[in-house]
Amino acid sequence: MSQTASIKDVATHAQVAVGTVSNVLNYPDRVSQRTKERVLKSIAELGFVRNDAARQLRAGQSRTIGLIVLDVGNPFFSSVARAAEDAATALGSVVLVGDSGQDASREAHYMDLFQEQRVQGLLISPVGNVSERIDTLRERGVPTVLVDELADTERCSSVSVDDQEGGYLAARHLLDTGRRRLAFVGTTSIRQVASRLKGAQRAVTEVNGATIEVLDSAGQTVLAGRQVGNKLVERDPAERPEAVFCSNDLLALGVMQSLTMLRTVRIPEDIALIGYDDIDFAISAVVPLSSIRQPTEALGRTAIELLAEEQDSGGTKHRAVVFTPELVVRQSTAGA
Amino acid sequence: MSQTASIKDVATHAQVAVGTVSNVLNYPDRVSQRTKERVLKSIAELGFVRNDAARQLRAGQSRTIGLIVLDVGNPFFSSVARAAEDAATALGSVVLVGDSGQDASREAHYMDLFQEQRVQGLLISPVGNVSERIDTLRERGVPTVLVDELADTERCSSVSVDDQEGGYLAARHLLDTGRRRLAFVGTTSIRQVASRLKGAQRAVTEVNGATIEVLDSAGQTVLAGRQVGNKLVERDPAERPEAVFCSNDLLALGVMQSLTMLRTVRIPEDIALIGYDDIDFAISAVVPLSSIRQPTEALGRTAIELLAEEQDSGGTKHRAVVFTPELVVRQSTAGA
DNA sequence: CGTAACAAATGAAACGATTCAAAGACGAGT
DNA sequence: ACTCGTCTTTGAATCGTTTCATTTGTTACG
């Protein structure tokens, strides 16, 4: 009783064949009421629990879906992850979450892991170049859905938000409220960030005399934001931008901390500030933060839906769903 | 080539026995240089990837550790989870994270799941009464470590933070800064929350004329905090508490949002506010939030260490590690 | 040259579930 | 009593890996 009982133990105990026990578990209708009861009783008495490894081995596939995100600590991703989990649970699957931390080797590590686990499918916000690996996976019947990244629909499906449009919305809003010398803060090596910048630059070209300066940050965290903010504070006031667009809210909150720390810079009077993602904490910031809202629940849910579509079609049909972001105006970009 | 190659395919391709391939993977020293190279070449050519299910089945145990938290969206837990993941990775294990959402049935669901997966061990912040299930698991050789909850060391190990002390520290600080009519906000049905309240009450009894009112919240989220905050705003100013102690920072941020929304209540002049957890966002709040800091990284890391100890000792030795929380004073509780 | 000692390679058995062709049980119809 | 059809049950084969007792190959030494 100390060790775990197997289906064979249950069969012996209930005096039936192993196949019958299996049927009770998987096709209850095939089994007569009497034996079903007897088997269930034995299962309860022995405390039998299915061995998922054995089941998977036989099935050749797990009921697991792999999800690789750039940072689980980032509310944007944790929200997407939660939505994906809920949707997957409804389909009887489990989501395994891996955090790449924007590190290509960690990303590769998780891909290896998921491949060993024979996951049903993969949802990924890629860091490195993973297209070859995705091709390999597809050949092997493991569909992939890119998350927060537009896919070539020849290869796989994707759910994303129009980052260029989001960048445009943010910059346009800053320009519309009278700011001209803008700064962009973000890790531009990340594709989404680069797109947001591109959108912002487009908005800037539409307005005469507007400029945008790019400040690269070491990551997309609150800490990285604080570092950039400190540099801004050190500058001669005349050299400071009139408005700062951060590629996510964590960065923006970090920048805000630095700027407001010494009370020499006022937000939004001296410098307007806008973030991206509209995380829950944006509204509670020192100065409530304007932001670009992304439909995280829809992203997570749709990712799972597309994965199911891929599976149903045998990995032949791909679809790229693009959501549109939304400007949320708060005090940090109030009147010029 | 479309389907996944098995170890047998590799063996055939490299013209060796399956056992040899297995040895190349698991005991490279037992294999001669020549064959090792040949096998590795075949592995690369066939794109062989280990089938983890088969390996687990044979091993009788997985390299997976289950972690069940109350809410992954809560930075406290995501930080603990990340630390645990890092520590587990160093030991060659993977952490599977389940979010119970403070729902006993979801918690049970994840426990079932983890048991089917034959996890190496379980880390859990319990919601419901799980002690019997933990006993069952222990009998079956699956050690459990309670996270953020003190364990009876007769049964299992635990890592926790002294919640009563934390509650005491928070309330004492409010009292020390001259506040007398306190309010406590939290979901008191959660044990940690109840302990924090108890500690706070202890501090209150030490000071003449001090009182503490308990406001139960529907959950421990920003939203729940906003609801409580709205009720406070609706009250006659004379009826409002002088200081509010929230059982976590999310709640506190929510309360802060409500109180500062209409600018009728000033923090900390009219109402002082202190939270719990000291999440990254606490410092960036409208009014930087005082809080009680918990050593999340140490919690996660130690949890994995204790799990390893349990495994080494065959589940006989248990240890309860209790960390001490720390008061972090910011503007939200500034001078009386 | 014989043999002991060691290294390397072998391949069948085992892990625990699912599947499926085959056998068994039972009742109805003739 | 016999056959047919339906419902239930059986148990061997299978999935892919690891393990380990055994065989095969090689070297060293007397």
Side-chain angles (χ1 to χ4, degrees):
Chain A
M1 178 66 176
S2 163
Q3 283 302 2
T4 309
S6 77
I7 212 173
K8 202 181 265 177
D9 300 325
V10 174
T12 309
H13 188 270
Q15 305 196 52
V16 295
V18 288
T20 305
V21 178
S22 177
N23 282 334
V24 169
L25 295 169
N26 301 294
Y27 307 93
D29 294 345
R30 290 189 191 161
V31 184
S32 73
Q33 191 62 28
R34 258 170 41 89
T35 41
K36 189 158 32 181
E37 278 167 15
R38 202 143 41 90
V39 170
L40 289 174
K41 190 159 159 265
S42 295
I43 286 178
E45 279 179 29
L46 298 177
F48 166 77
V49 177
R50 257 205 199 82
N51 183 323
D52 201 53
R55 190 227 280 261
Q56 274 182 215
L57 173 57
R58 182 62 232 243
Q61 226 207 190
S62 73
R63 295 165 309 147
T64 303
I65 292 166
L67 167 61
I68 301 178
V69 298
L70 299 179
D71 174 15
V72 275
N74 184 329
F76 169 73
F77 285 110
S78 68
S79 174
V80 172
R82 182 194 291 247
E85 272 175 51
D86 289 346
T89 303
L91 297 173
S93 295
V94 200
V95 175
L96 247 169
V97 184
D99 184 348
S100 70
Q102 285 171 38
D103 173 11
S105 74
R106 288 186 57 136
E107 172 176 77
H109 172 71
Y110 276 112
M111 289 193 85
D112 289 344
L113 200 75
F114 289 160
Q115 220 176 330
E116 287 188 7
Q117 307 244 0
R118 300 291 190 271
V119 293
Q120 262 177 32
L122 181 65
L123 310 183
I124 183 172
S125 289
V127 189
N129 186 351
V130 291
S131 42
E132 295 132 44
R133 292 206 60 162
I134 289 175
D135 289 346
T136 311
L137 285 170
R138 181 161 25 77
E139 277 171 22
R140 299 190 177 176
V142 182
T144 299
V145 174
L146 297 187
V147 174
D148 200 29
E149 173 110 3
L150 190 64
D152 171 3
T153 51
E154 297 298 311
R155 309 184 110 183
C156 63
S157 295
S158 68
V159 285
S160 58
V161 182
D162 189 337
D163 284 299
Q164 232 192 86
E165 174 68 12
Y168 178 85
L169 282 176
R172 186 74 227 183
H173 169 61
L174 295 176
L175 295 164
D176 285 348
T177 52
R179 280 91 183 184
R180 286 296 170 270
R181 282 183 301 114
L182 311 188
F184 178 88
V185 177
T187 309
T188 51
S189 57
I190 299 174
R191 228 164 311 184
Q192 290 89 324
V193 174
S195 296
R196 288 168 200 174
L197 171 56
K198 203 167 167 189
Q201 286 166 330
R202 182 157 55 86
V204 167
T205 60
E206 290 177 3
V207 175
N208 249 332
T211 61
I212 188 162
E213 165 190 13
V214 178
L215 302 171
D216 231 292
S217 67
Q220 299 269 107
T221 61
V222 174
L223 200 67
R226 235 180 289 177
Q227 290 167 352
V228 174
N230 285 334
K231 283 192 188 153
L232 286 177
V233 171
E234 285 168 13
R235 283 195 195 175
D236 185 284
E239 299 289 314
R240 291 182 194 142
E242 295 167 319
V244 175
F245 168 27
C246 293
S247 62
N248 83 10
D249 285 348
L250 300 181
L251 275 172
L253 291 176
V255 168
M256 190 183 288
Q257 281 174 26
S258 295
L259 296 188
T260 55
M261 192 77 80
L262 301 177
R263 308 192 168 272
T264 50
V265 179
R266 290 167 304 164
I267 298 176
E269 293 82 357
D270 300 326
I271 298 183
L273 188 63
I274 188 167
Y276 208 104
D277 288 348
D278 191 32
I279 64 178
D280 282 350
F281 304 101
I283 195 177
S284 347
V286 182
V287 182
L289 184 69
S290 296
S291 194
I292 302 293
R293 178 178 300 160
Q294 308 204 74
T296 51
E297 295 83 14
L299 277 174
R301 192 171 3 95
T302 310
I304 296 290
E305 283 169 14
L306 290 184
L307 200 62
E309 282 182 22
E310 291 261 345
Q311 286 176 304
D312 293 345
S313 74
T316 56
K317 276 182 216 155
H318 309 303
R319 213 147 62 85
V321 177
V322 179
F323 292 96
T324 304
E326 189 187 341
L327 174 68
V328 180
V329 178
R330 298 205 182 88
Q331 203 189 322
S332 71
T333 57
Chain B
M1 177 64 175
S2 162
Q3 282 302 1
T4 308
S6 78
I7 214 173
K8 202 181 267 175
D9 299 325
V10 175
T12 309
H13 188 270
Q15 304 196 55
V16 295
V18 289
T20 305
V21 179
S22 176
N23 282 334
V24 170
L25 295 169
N26 301 296
Y27 306 94
D29 294 345
R30 292 189 191 162
V31 184
S32 73
Q33 191 62 29
R34 257 170 42 89
T35 41
K36 190 159 32 183
E37 277 167 14
R38 199 143 41 90
V39 169
L40 289 174
K41 188 159 160 265
S42 295
I43 286 178
E45 279 180 28
L46 298 177
F48 166 77
V49 176
R50 257 208 200 80
N51 183 325
D52 200 54
R55 187 226 278 261
Q56 275 183 214
L57 174 58
R58 180 63 232 236
Q61 225 206 190
S62 72
R63 294 165 312 146
T64 303
I65 293 167
L67 167 61
I68 301 179
V69 298
L70 298 177
D71 175 14
V72 275
N74 184 330
F76 169 74
F77 285 111
S78 67
S79 173
V80 172
R82 181 193 290 246
E85 272 175 52
D86 290 346
T89 303
L91 297 174
S93 295
V94 200
V95 175
L96 247 169
V97 184
D99 184 349
S100 71
Q102 285 170 36
D103 173 12
S105 73
R106 287 187 58 139
E107 172 176 75
H109 172 72
Y110 277 111
M111 289 193 86
D112 289 345
L113 200 73
F114 290 161
Q115 221 176 329
E116 287 189 7
Q117 307 243 358
R118 298 292 189 272
V119 292
Q120 260 177 32
L122 181 65
L123 310 183
I124 181 171
S125 289
V127 189
N129 186 351
V130 291
S131 42
E132 295 132 45
R133 290 206 62 163
I134 289 176
D135 289 345
T136 311
L137 285 170
R138 180 159 28 77
E139 278 171 21
R140 299 190 177 175
V142 182
T144 300
V145 174
L146 296 187
V147 174
D148 200 29
E149 173 110 2
L150 189 65
D152 170 3
T153 51
E154 295 299 311
R155 310 184 109 181
C156 61
S157 295
S158 67
V159 285
S160 58
V161 182
D162 189 336
D163 285 299
Q164 235 192 79
E165 174 69 11
Y168 178 84
L169 283 175
R172 187 74 226 184
H173 169 62
L174 295 176
L175 294 163
D176 285 348
T177 51
R179 280 90 183 185
R180 284 299 170 268
R181 284 183 299 113
L182 311 187
F184 178 89
V185 177
T187 309
T188 52
S189 57
I190 299 174
R191 230 164 312 184
Q192 291 88 322
V193 174
S195 296
R196 290 167 199 174
L197 171 57
K198 206 168 163 188
Q201 287 168 329
R202 182 158 55 86
V204 167
T205 61
E206 292 178 1
V207 175
N208 249 332
T211 60
I212 187 163
E213 166 191 12
V214 178
L215 302 171
D216 230 291
S217 68
Q220 299 269 107
T221 61
V222 175
L223 199 68
R226 233 180 288 177
Q227 290 166 352
V228 173
N230 286 333
K231 283 193 187 153
L232 285 177
V233 171
E234 285 168 13
R235 284 198 194 173
D236 185 282
E239 299 288 314
R240 291 181 193 142
E242 295 166 321
V244 176
F245 168 28
C246 294
S247 61
N248 83 11
D249 285 349
L250 300 181
L251 275 171
L253 291 175
V255 168
M256 190 183 287
Q257 281 173 27
S258 295
L259 295 187
T260 55
M261 192 77 79
L262 302 175
R263 308 191 168 272
T264 52
V265 178
R266 292 166 304 163
I267 297 176
E269 293 84 355
D270 301 326
I271 298 183
L273 189 62
I274 188 168
Y276 207 103
D277 289 347
D278 191 31
I279 64 178
D280 282 349
F281 304 101
I283 194 175
S284 345
V286 182
V287 182
L289 184 69
S290 296
S291 193
I292 302 293
R293 179 178 300 160
Q294 308 204 75
T296 51
E297 294 82 14
L299 277 174
R301 191 174 2 94
T302 310
I304 296 290
E305 283 169 14
L306 290 184
L307 201 62
E309 282 183 22
E310 290 262 343
Q311 286 177 307
D312 293 344
S313 74
T316 57
K317 277 181 216 155
H318 310 303
R319 215 147 62 86
V321 177
V322 179
F323 292 96
T324 305
E326 189 187 342
L327 174 67
V328 179
V329 179
R330 297 204 183 88
Q331 203 188 324
S332 72
T333 57

